[in-house]
Amino acid sequence: MNTEIDSKITVSEWEVMRVVWAQGKVTSKEIREVLQQKKDWKPATTKTFIGRLVKKGMLHTETEGKMYIYSANINESEFIKNTLNEIFENICDKDVGNTIVNLITKATLSFKDIEKMEKALEMKKKDAVEEVPCSCVPGQCKCQDHNCSSGHLNIAENQNVKRE
């Protein structure tokens, strides 16, 4: 297993990873068969994305006869958590709350999801502060203009996802 994982993956690589996470162990043919429902990729295209993911340390490869079997080196929830943590580490601390609100607003949630969030928010109230201090150096955000909490962050622009 690769210990260094490059978590910067493209939208297409996300598609491949979602199949691997869902299936556990999978061949390139099985990945193609799943993604055919959504993508019109040639076999070589799928293999290119798999090869990139192997290089990035996201996928583990083993051989079974002449076939290559792929599995994830990091589980999906851990990867998503790490990706979100990286985003939050790279934005002004004052924008974190607005970013979370934007995520919640755009998401379709079950009653159970909302209940979990309400419990988490109740727990967070114990550590809440009157105002979150800025974590940036001057010129890195709009705090000097007292505009930092205006919700100027667009999460899609700052995601750990590159466009193909």
Side-chain angles (χ1 to χ4, degrees), residues 82-96:
N82 291 345
T83 301
L84 289 172
N85 284 339
E86 186 176 324
I87 290 168
F88 290 143
E89 287 170 6
N90 287 296
I91 63 175
C92 180
D93 285 348
K94 285 187 162 198
D95 272 334
V96 171

Side-chain angles (χ1 to χ4, degrees), residues 1 25 31 45 47 50 59 69 90 99 103 108 120:
M1 183 184 284
K25 291 187 175 211
I31 293 170
T45 303
K47 288 179 182 176
I50 291 169
L59 291 180
I69 310 293
N90 287 296
T99 302
L103 288 171
T108 300

Side-chain angles (χ1 to χ4, degrees), residues 27-87:
T27 64
S28 62
K29 181 182 179 191
E30 292 167 328
I31 293 170
R32 257 192 339 274
E33 287 171 355
V34 170
L35 291 178
Q36 272 180 335
Q37 302 167 58
K38 188 174 186 179
K39 301 285 183 186
D40 189 24
W41 291 347
K42 292 182 174 20
T45 303
T46 305
K47 288 179 182 176
T48 297
F49 293 132
I50 291 169
R52 288 181 190 172
L53 290 164
V54 169
K55 273 187 186 170
K56 292 178 181 188
M58 294 287 296
L59 291 180
H60 172 75
T61 309
E62 53 189 86
T63 54
E64 199 174 279
K66 290 184 177 184
M67 279 193 308
Y68 289 102
I69 310 293
Y70 302 97
S71 58
N73 280 331
I74 185 170
N75 73 45
E76 184 176 17
S77 60
E78 184 181 338
F79 181 73
I80 291 169
K81 181 180 157 189
N82 291 345
T83 301
L84 289 172
N85 284 339
E86 186 176 324
I87 290 168

Side-chain angles (χ1 to χ4, degrees), residues 93-145:
D93 285 348
K94 285 187 162 198
D95 272 334
V96 171
N98 282 328
T99 302
I100 293 169
V101 169
N102 287 337
L103 288 171
I104 292 169
T105 302
K106 291 178 182 179
T108 300
L109 302 169
S110 69
F111 289 112
K112 193 172 186 173
D113 292 332
I114 293 168
E115 190 177 306
K116 284 189 228 173
M117 284 186 228
E118 288 171 338
K119 286 179 183 174
L121 287 171
E122 277 305 311
M123 296 297 290
K124 289 302 284 180
K125 279 184 181 179
K126 295 175 186 175
D127 300 323
V129 294
E130 195 62 41
E131 186 177 339
V132 175
C134 176
S135 58
C136 306
V137 296
Q140 221 179 13
C141 69
K142 295 183 180 183
C143 288
Q144 278 55 17
D145 300 333

